[in-house]
Each structure stands twice: as C-alpha cells, then as structure tokens.
Amino acid sequence: MSNKFVVPGFVAQAIPPYTEGMRIGLLGGSFNPPHEAHRAISRFALTRLQLDRVWWLVTPGNPLKENGTLHELGARMQAARDVANDPRIEVSCLESVIRTRYTIDTINTLRRRLTGLRFVWIMGADNLAQFHRWQDWRRIAAQVPMAVIDRPPQSFRALASPAAKALARYRVPESEAALLADRRAPAWVFLTGLKLNLSSTGLRNPDGSWKGTK
C-alpha cells in the first residue's frame, strides 16, 4: 500500500510520517466540521500522555451516525489541517485507503504495519458512553490502550456506561497517565481538567452546512 493516495481534488497521506519508537495518539472522527475542541483535546493528550504525535483519522462515514449531511472527504481533510495548526498533529484518511468505517480494522492495520510504534486511542467521554455499540469494542480495548477525555456534562453517563463497567478493572489512575502508551492493553485512563465544550453538531446549520460558511 502506498503511503499516498488521491481523494478527488486532494492528495493526502494515508500514514503520516513517523520514526520508530514514537508514541502516537489516535483521534478518529468525521470532523464534520473540525473545531477547536479537537485541537484542544489533542494538545491536552500530547501533554498528559507524553505523546510524540496525535493522528486525526478522518473517517469516510460513522456507522453510528446519519451521514446524509457529511461533507466531502477532501473538504474535511483540508479543514482539519487548517484547524490543527500544530506540527505534532497529523491528519490522515487511512480508513478511506483500507476501505473501512470500523475502528477495529483501522487499529489492526496500524498495529500490523507499524509494529515499532506505541499507540493510544483517544476519545471523548461522550464516545465512552456509547462505546459498547462500537463494532468489536472489546477487541478494540484489548488491542490498544485508551485515553478518555472528560467532556462535562457527559462524565457520569460515561463512567456509568456498560463499557466503562466492563473495563473497570483495567482503569489506570490518572496520576499514571504519562505511562499509558507503555502499558499492555487492555488499559485506559479517564483524564479530567480540560474545560472546553464544543461539538461538530453544534457547528452545523440545519441543512448540514458549516456555520460561518455558505
């Protein structure tokens, strides 16, 4: 598989540049649109988890969401690069290359191809609340350590969710977050302290267009 592929009107890297031994955070999503919370979560994770990079994995479509108002992939990629604006944050369309919408397939591909990297899956508390609905969610947890970023008012719902309860014995103290990338999965940490409450849904108009754009 070439590291480069073509989206109509846009050339992107499937797998961002890396060096062996890097600690990489993976943040998946539709990024429809990308926004400051994505950037804040990524920079928060870089610091708290002592990561070298965060890769934004822009999905061709979320199986758990209505995708009728999803913007074209190239547009979301370019917008994500504009919002990220940090050399430590890379934007990727890997899921389009491997033709999947499921996180488990993405993680399996990365772990198989990039054995010298240490990955951490990053998600917001709102995603932990519905993690039990993800395809093969138990296998995801068994493949890669996970960092859950608190997003009030989702805290209670997330920590009371079926997945959080099932994985409770693998939860790592927040004080040990910097060691998460070195841990063998399953392992996860719930990170608090980031006070930013934005969502892509709130930044879309009723017709699906992004606010502030025509």
Side-chain angles (χ1 to χ4, degrees):
M1 179 180 70
S2 170
N3 272 13
K4 291 198 173 183
F5 68 101
V6 177
V7 179
F10 194 82
V11 177
Q13 288 183 323
I15 297 177
Y18 64 90
T19 57
E20 293 296 305
M22 271 188 168
R23 302 152 67 92
I24 308 290
L26 304 173
L27 182 65
S30 300
F31 295 90
N32 187 47
H35 50 73
E36 179 59 30
H38 291 128
R39 183 172 186 266
I41 286 172
S42 300
R43 298 183 74 176
F44 185 69
L46 280 161
T47 299
R48 295 291 302 275
L49 302 174
Q50 293 295 290
L51 302 175
D52 297 299
R53 297 286 188 276
V54 170
W55 292 355
W56 288 2
L57 304 175
V58 184
T59 179
N62 188 327
L64 297 180
K65 293 182 179 180
E66 171 57 51
N67 294 308
T69 59
L70 196 63
H71 282 226
E72 189 269 329
L73 183 61
R76 289 183 283 128
M77 283 284 294
Q78 185 59 61
R81 290 182 184 277
D82 293 342
V83 169
N85 193 30
D86 188 313
R88 301 170 300 171
I89 302 174
E90 301 277 1
V91 181
S92 168
C93 289
L94 177 64
E95 291 184 343
S96 291
V97 175
I98 64 177
R99 294 183 172 85
T100 185
R101 294 187 298 165
Y102 295 113
T103 297
I104 185 60
D105 296 326
T106 304
I107 289 174
N108 284 340
T109 296
L110 288 170
R111 294 185 71 243
R112 183 174 63 251
R113 287 187 168 272
L114 307 174
T115 57
L117 302 186
R118 287 170 285 177
F119 293 109
V120 174
W121 186 262
I122 301 168
M123 70 170 86
D126 52 328
N127 281 317
L128 178 61
Q130 61 172 346
F131 189 50
H132 61 286
R133 298 176 57 202
W134 291 25
Q135 180 85 4
D136 292 330
W137 65 273
R138 291 181 184 273
R139 286 181 58 208
I140 295 172
Q143 293 281 7
V144 64
M146 302 187 304
V148 181
I149 313 297
D150 188 18
R151 294 189 67 183
Q154 298 288 340
S155 312
F156 179 79
R157 179 168 170 258
L159 292 175
S161 67
K165 290 180 178 179
L167 299 172
R169 66 183 182 276
Y170 302 116
R171 184 176 173 184
V172 175
E174 191 169 357
S175 60
E176 299 178 15
L179 303 176
L180 185 67
D182 301 315
R183 285 183 175 268
R184 183 174 179 176
W188 65 285
V189 66
F190 192 82
L191 296 179
T192 61
L194 180 65
K195 305 300 182 185
L196 185 60
N197 192 24
L198 290 175
S199 70
S200 293
T201 302
L203 295 176
R204 289 196 296 269
N205 295 310
D207 65 356
S209 62
W210 297 342
K211 292 181 179 178
T213 64
K214 295 182 179 180

